[in-house]
Amino acid sequence: MTAVTPALGEHELALHDRARAVIPGGMYGHMAVTSFSAAHPQFIVSGDGCRVTDADGREYLDLMSGWGPVVLGHRHPGVTAAVIDQLGHGDCLDGASPVAVDFAELLVDTVPSADWAMFCKNGTDATTTCVTTARAATGKRKVLVARGAYHGAVPWCSLRGAGVTDEDQAHLVHYDYNDLSSAEAAAAEAGDDLAAILVCPMRHDVKRDQELVDPAFARGLRALADRTGSVLIVDDVRCGFRLDLGGSWEPLGVRPDLTAWSKAIANGQALGAVTGIEALRDAARSIYVTGSFWYAAVPLAAGLATLTELRKGRALPDMVRTGQRLRDGLAQQAVAHGFEIRQTGPVQMPMLSFAGDEGFRLVTAWAEAAGERGVYLHPWHNWFLSAAHTDADIDDILDRTNDAFAALG
Ligand SMILES: *Cc1c(COP(=O)(O)O)cnc(C)c1O
């Protein structure tokens, strides 16, 4: 049996009190831990490989990987060396660093649909830049988006209503993921004002099982964009650099016109990117997008080091192997403990739910029991493997999840 520690130590609780006084809600956004668990620490002081340590010195085997960005493991030596080296030259300078050119060249060489690249800070910048480019290229306004899909947390695409006006989203037309006829109906509704079709490589909306893309749907969206003269944008912010380095739809042979990247692109440094086809180069040049920190050299150096490491070819197959080991182990445990579970999505981006689990009560209790046994995972958002997970780490995780299933009684 693995050790069980009572949820939340004294340093954690003291930080909660201090945070509530000076940060609205104590914390906000996806990292507001109270929104999903009573047994996970809010504050993490360090990370190493596939382990993170909280403010009370408790170590967790990490299945969230910084919620996606950490694809090679926390403090990966090669990326850390690149960061330290670039810091020795400077980060935020008066012009872009040459490393921007180095990294753009590497992206264009890696991603078949990329003839050019632009950099920004995060995934929302990237999706917003894609939409702006598409509107500039077409002179049209409407954007098709899948109902419930997450493309960032600014008013034009936010999924939460507070502080967002109807006008902010007036030019979005919704379709249902994997339902081509609904996308065709949305395109018809947009009529001759259709600028872009925005789509994620798979359905990974929170609080529902993940759903892989139907290849016919992906091909159908490509044809729909071609037929309507609109721009096909793939939001690869979450899946990018975990499924296929050339882009997550590359195995399907479906190439986007524009792709939004972020999360895993720089192993945890703040960086986003847009890549696009030759025909959209002038439109990308015509728009005005920028930011004080968009040209910072350290994240670009981290991106260059991350993609260089990924291109060696071991990280993705390793994540598939360890992800499959985790999935197989969890499936066996559920059967042994008499629970019916579903595991969805690609194995390197796992998600687990319990059958008939009203209000996520069972999965939350299980995730909290795992947290108390030193495994950091989420009840209703997908998890992320990193290349730092070894088979032995997965077995260690499985020992603890087995006890978490047992604790559900
Ligand atoms: C995380 C995410 C975004 C937003 O990226 P940020 O870096 O949080 O701005 C956009 N699209 C998808 C699919 C994401 O998962």
Side-chain angles (χ1 to χ4, degrees):
M1 291 287 280
T2 44
V4 183
T5 48
L8 312 187
E10 57 174 311
H11 291 93
E12 171 76 15
L13 293 172
L15 279 164
H16 278 218
D17 287 343
R18 287 171 53 203
R20 267 195 297 271
V22 291
I23 297 173
M27 198 49 63
Y28 47 88
H30 66 292
M31 285 200 182
V33 76
T34 49
S35 71
F36 65 87
S37 174
H40 285 63
Q42 176 68 77
F43 298 96
I44 302 290
V45 295
S46 63
D48 185 22
C50 67
R51 290 173 171 74
V52 293
T53 301
D54 74 10
D56 289 283
R58 294 176 180 167
E59 192 176 87
Y60 297 80
L61 284 148
D62 182 15
L63 282 175
M64 291 308 286
S65 301
W67 297 68
V70 178
V71 68
L72 295 173
H74 297 281
R75 290 196 287 132
H76 179 270
V79 180
T80 302
V83 164
I84 290 171
D85 181 63
Q86 185 58 49
L87 271 174
H89 298 282
D91 185 17
C92 197
L93 303 165
D94 293 355
S97 163
V99 75
V101 184
D102 297 337
F103 192 27
E105 286 173 346
L106 191 64
L107 273 175
V108 166
D109 189 59
T110 307
V111 177
S113 65
D115 291 312
W116 50 265
M118 290 164 74
F119 299 107
C120 49
K121 276 298 89 178
N122 58 44
T124 309
D125 294 341
T127 55
T128 304
T129 299
C130 287
V131 167
T132 308
T133 302
R135 286 179 172 149
T138 58
K140 297 176 178 174
R141 297 179 296 176
K142 302 291 179 191
V143 178
L144 307 195
V145 297
R147 224 166 254 110
Y150 187 70
H151 298 294
V154 285
W156 76 261
C157 58
S158 177
L159 293 173
R160 303 279 191 94
V164 176
T165 69
D166 291 343
E167 289 79 2
D168 288 320
Q169 306 195 350
H171 295 302
L172 301 185
V173 188
H174 291 96
Y175 63 89
D176 292 315
Y177 199 89
N178 271 341
D179 179 349
L180 187 59
S181 59
S182 77
E184 283 168 344
E189 190 187 324
D192 61 8
D193 201 13
L194 181 60
I197 303 170
L198 177 56
V199 64
C200 290
M202 64 166 178
R203 188 170 187 183
H204 47 43
D205 311 346
V206 291
K207 296 194 171 173
R208 70 188 308 290
D209 291 346
Q210 298 188 95
E211 197 178 313
L212 298 178
V213 70
D214 174 355
F217 173 73
R219 285 193 292 271
L221 287 191
R222 179 67 272 177
L224 181 60
D226 292 340
R227 199 162 70 237
T228 55
S230 60
V231 175
L232 181 63
I233 303 169
V234 169
D235 177 353
D236 225 339
V237 170
R238 192 175 312 183
C239 300
F241 306 109
R242 267 197 180 75
L243 305 190
D244 189 293
L245 295 187
S248 297
W249 278 4
E250 192 56 25
L252 306 180
V254 177
R255 293 204 174 145
D257 300 315
L258 293 173
T259 306
W261 310 89
S262 189
K263 292 206 165 80
I265 193 170
N267 203 47
Q269 291 283 320
L271 192 68
V274 172
T275 57
I277 59 168
E278 192 56 46
L280 292 172
R281 186 190 293 264
D282 285 343
R285 189 170 54 192
S286 74
I287 62 172
Y288 189 70
V289 285
T290 190
S292 298
F293 305 106
W294 281 24
Y295 314 87
V298 166
L300 287 163
L304 189 63
T306 301
L307 187 50
T308 301
E309 180 65 29
L310 290 170
R311 278 175 53 132
K312 290 179 186 166
R314 283 191 305 274
L316 269 55
D318 278 354
M319 284 188 275
V320 171
R321 191 193 69 246
T322 54
Q324 190 65 52
R325 191 177 183 93
L326 179 65
R327 184 161 297 189
D328 292 346
L330 290 170
Q332 282 172 13
Q333 291 175 357
V335 170
H337 291 279
F339 293 104
E340 188 186 332
I341 63 165
R342 291 184 300 265
Q343 299 191 78
T344 53
V347 291
Q348 60 274 54
M349 293 172 62
M351 177 135 180
L352 181 151
S353 62
F354 287 76
D357 187 16
E358 280 299 312
F360 304 96
R361 276 196 286 273
L362 207 46
V363 74
T364 297
W366 178 77
E368 289 179 346
E372 287 163 355
R373 289 157 181 82
V375 178
Y376 202 105
L377 54 74
H378 199 288
W380 39 257
H381 184 291
N382 74 272
W383 321 332
F384 299 90
L385 268 282
S386 82
H389 292 95
T390 64
D391 290 347
D393 294 323
I394 298 297
D395 293 346
D396 197 354
I397 289 169
L398 286 168
D399 280 345
R400 297 160 194 245
T401 57
N402 191 50
D403 291 347
F405 277 116
L408 294 182

